[in-house]
Amino acid sequence: MNDTGLTRFSPPRWSRRLRRAGAPTNWFPTRLHDPRTAVAVGRWLGAGVLVCFLTGLVSHGLQSPGDWLATRLPTRPVWGYRLTQGLHVITGFALVPLLLVKLWVVYPRLFVLPPVRSLRHALERFSVAVLVGAALLQVFLGLVNIVQWYPWPFSFRPVHWALAWVLLGATLLHVAVQAPAIAAYWRGKGRDPDGPERRSLLLGLGAAVGTVTLVTAGQTVAPLRRVTLLAPRRPDGSAQGLPINRTAAEAGVREVSPETWRLRLAGPRAHELSLAELRRLPQHGARLPIACVEGWSATADWSGVRVRDLLELVGAPPGASARVVSLQRRGGYRVSELPPQFVRDPLTLLALRLNGQVLSLDHGFPARIIAPNRPGVLQTKWVTTIEVSA
Amino acid sequence: MTPLRWTLGLLGVAAMLAGARLLVAGTPPGTPLDVALWLAGAVMAHDLLLAPLVLLVGAVVWRLPERRALRGALLTIGCVALITLPILLRPGPPRNATVLRLDYPLNLLGVVAAVLLAASALVGVRRARRRGDAPNATGPGT
Ligand code: HEM
């Protein structure tokens, strides 16, 4: 490892030789391929990766909590997941300019000669390769996943989850390896002949981040809806005021007859309710967001029966949790678990109406779950059974 | 400094190993190899395709007037185009009417135009101000 300090990355020797031989181009003509610029951009990139990692951790915890965490997940704030997953995808978009500019700055380093000086140097270069690969792939997977395109031969979630740890680790290691350059950056303030050029690059980077954010963030930030020009979702103006992720047809749910449909309640005093009976139970309203794992979200007015009232009906013990089963026949998330604190919550509804109308079939007719602070994939639609589970 | 540096580095290695374990233990047998190939592919797509392309453009831009504003504008346009690319290239119709429902090619053109406009305005303002600072530098009417 060479502790570069703040000298310019030296251009590859072959490029100098080429130039001496009269090659037309100066390969890296600007002066910004230097450690100082690398640190200036890298701190923002590092912060972005950290935000994505932490918000991703929240998403993973909510979807796969394990026994210990399940009963400790908070139900407040109701917009918790909306915030974290919205931030995840907003930051993810911002990583595109940050990552590409960072890689542009350090690109000449790819051609250092000799390519490998020592075992340590080889390990260092390998860790950088892992860092670059994981960062590029992680952002690529995320951005392509949210347009609902899955061109890779593996499933997204477990790979994105594993890569998140690889990327976090490679980032930490990288910061440790580059500590001298980072320290020199902070010490070196004030003596900077390239200052204006670098500031202009950083301003351009800021413009890119700002623009990318502006035209996509309205997926989840309601005041930006009108400038949502390039996001996969624009939640306003959709069916019943709310986008749909999986339609009834995709889930293999055909017409549900309001006459023959029954809600099965399994518990100490098992019970069946028709839709008419369900409508005669006390109805409650809740204004809650739907927040999709894909990073869009929107608030809606829901009304229906409190899940805790239903569980009382079947004599569930206090502190019971519930398993919700859907009519859907295709795709994941047919069953969801409601931990005790979500069952107890007065805002957790078996919703029958959305924004003042009966749920449409694609929104889960005749009945769906809506609970605070949960990913949309767990807001089970087309509910057929609610089981008390201890 | 040094103990902190070592701690950070070791934490990093530990997290990378944890990730590798998650990949091997948490996915079907063929997946780790696939992911390794895609990682290599991502690096190659960047290092052999995108980066040389950008450097080539940069080599031209470097010689142009107002290169700083131009660089900012091109960077912005490139990134906006890149994030739209998955939508434009995705095969098949959207899964339902509430997703991918905007006119993306048109919107992309609009955003590109707005960025160019903003950059030109910036350059114009800066030139005007420069002229204002040095009224005798150029003749009247320029
Ligand atoms: C580069 C840094 C990133 C890191 C460290 C990261 C990390 C994570 C983690 C840990 C999860 C939870 C996975 C799980 O539930 O097992 C997650 C989920 C997710 N991430 Fe990222 N992510 C990154 C970038 C992105 C980007 C750029 C996007 C898209 C714009 C994105 C989109 C998603 C989506 C859609 C999910 C939900 C997956 C699901 O539950 O089905 N991520 N991310």
Side-chain angles (χ1 to χ4, degrees):
Chain A
M1 179 176 40
N2 61 340
D3 292 357
T4 39
L6 286 179
T7 53
R8 196 180 160 199
F9 297 142
S10 45
R13 212 170 302 158
W14 52 259
S15 115
R16 257 176 281 153
R17 216 172 293 142
L18 270 176
R19 215 178 321 146
R20 242 179 280 128
T25 327
N26 181 356
W27 294 88
F28 302 108
T30 89
R31 296 158 61 91
L32 295 181
H33 300 280
D34 66 332
R36 191 164 184 145
T37 314
V39 178
V41 177
R43 59 198 166 151
W44 295 109
L45 177 60
V49 168
L50 196 63
V51 167
C52 278
F53 180 80
L54 294 175
T55 50
L57 215 54
V58 171
S59 186
H60 183 86
L62 284 169
Q63 288 185 71
S64 314
D67 292 337
W68 183 84
L69 189 58
T71 55
R72 289 170 174 81
L73 294 172
T75 63
R76 295 291 182 279
V78 298
W79 38 262
Y81 188 70
R82 174 179 210 182
L83 178 74
T84 59
Q85 195 61 11
L87 202 57
H88 188 82
V89 171
I90 288 173
T91 310
F93 274 118
L95 287 181
V96 170
L98 288 167
L99 180 58
L100 293 181
V101 169
K102 167 85 185 189
L103 292 179
W104 174 83
V105 172
V106 299
Y107 188 66
R109 300 274 279 175
L110 190 58
F111 306 103
V112 288
L113 286 175
V116 174
R117 281 196 307 273
S118 60
L119 178 64
R120 182 166 170 180
H121 188 226
L123 285 175
E124 190 195 318
R125 296 207 74 184
F126 175 72
S127 77
V128 170
V130 172
L131 175 65
V132 172
L136 286 168
L137 187 56
Q138 191 76 331
V139 171
F140 172 83
L141 291 178
L143 286 175
V144 176
N145 174 284
I146 61 172
V147 307
Q148 304 189 331
W149 181 20
Y150 317 100
W152 40 79
F154 39 78
S155 69
F156 172 81
R157 225 185 124 215
V159 169
H160 197 66
W161 173 234
L163 281 180
W165 288 92
V166 173
L167 178 56
L168 177 79
T171 307
L172 295 180
L173 179 61
H174 180 66
V175 170
V177 168
Q178 294 296 340
I182 297 169
Y185 173 84
W186 293 109
R187 271 200 313 273
K189 287 259 161 181
R191 290 173 281 114
D192 184 7
D194 293 330
E197 190 67 32
R198 181 172 307 107
R199 266 192 299 284
S200 119
L201 177 72
L202 292 179
L203 276 176
L205 177 55
V209 169
T211 308
V212 163
T213 306
L214 195 67
V215 296
T216 55
Q219 297 202 96
T220 188
V221 181
L224 290 179
R225 295 275 196 251
R226 300 193 47 187
V227 287
T228 308
L229 297 170
L230 297 174
R233 301 276 186 165
R234 189 176 144 172
D236 52 349
S238 300
Q240 293 192 330
L242 212 58
I244 291 158
N245 208 338
R246 180 175 287 137
T247 60
E250 271 183 294
V253 177
R254 278 185 232 108
E255 286 299 289
V256 181
S257 153
E259 279 75 42
T260 59
W261 175 84
R262 292 288 180 277
L263 175 68
R264 221 169 57 78
L265 296 171
R269 296 193 303 269
H271 219 73
E272 278 198 358
L273 292 171
S274 69
L275 186 54
E277 288 169 319
L278 208 51
R279 284 175 178 157
R280 279 197 297 273
L281 291 176
Q283 304 288 306
H284 295 272
R287 191 167 166 75
L288 289 177
I290 278 262
C292 182
V293 290
E294 289 167 7
W296 58 265
S297 65
T299 300
D301 285 305
W302 308 88
S303 68
V305 183
R306 281 180 177 154
V307 168
R308 72 175 185 199
D309 292 351
L310 293 171
L311 259 67
E312 246 163 58
L313 216 59
V314 289
S321 49
R323 163 172 300 173
V324 182
V325 184
S326 167
L327 283 173
Q328 89 181 55
R329 285 180 305 172
R330 281 202 297 271
Y333 304 105
R334 192 178 66 89
V335 178
S336 68
E337 309 283 342
L338 278 171
Q341 70 277 27
F342 288 91
V343 169
R344 269 197 309 274
D345 197 294
L347 293 180
T348 301
L349 303 181
L350 183 67
L352 306 177
R353 301 175 74 84
L354 161 59
N355 288 335
Q357 296 167 2
V358 172
L359 285 175
S360 69
L361 187 60
D362 283 338
H363 277 308
F365 178 83
R368 74 171 299 168
I369 292 293
I370 183 77
N373 196 17
R374 301 244 292 174
V377 285
L378 302 182
Q379 313 279 26
T380 306
K381 302 198 273 193
W382 312 290
V383 172
T384 176
T385 303
I386 300 180
E387 291 167 23
V388 174
S389 46
Chain B
M1 181 72 206
T2 304
L4 184 66
R5 199 176 164 197
W6 276 99
T7 313
L8 205 62
L10 289 176
L11 271 178
V13 172
M16 285 167 83
L17 291 176
R21 218 192 78 89
L22 282 171
L23 191 61
V24 171
T27 62
T31 295
L33 181 63
D34 284 335
V35 172
L37 291 176
W38 278 69
L39 280 169
V43 173
M44 292 203 301
H46 175 270
D47 287 358
L48 302 180
L49 219 67
L50 187 59
L53 194 76
V54 169
L55 287 164
L56 219 61
V57 173
V60 176
V61 168
W62 180 249
R63 290 148 210 273
L64 299 180
E66 302 297 348
R67 64 186 154 81
R68 289 183 184 164
L70 195 57
R71 177 173 59 197
L74 289 180
L75 174 58
T76 304
I77 288 170
C79 288
V80 166
L82 216 52
I83 61 151
T84 316
L85 218 52
I87 299 180
L88 299 179
L89 296 183
R90 180 186 185 278
R95 263 171 47 186
N96 70 66
T98 69
V99 64
L100 305 177
R101 64 190 187 85
L102 307 176
D103 187 345
Y104 295 97
L106 186 72
N107 289 357
L108 181 57
L109 280 181
V111 173
V112 168
V115 171
L116 288 175
L117 218 65
S120 316
L122 203 72
V123 169
V125 166
R126 213 183 289 145
R127 283 192 175 175
R129 199 178 301 154
R130 222 176 294 148
R131 271 203 300 274
D133 284 349
N136 300 326
T138 50
T142 48

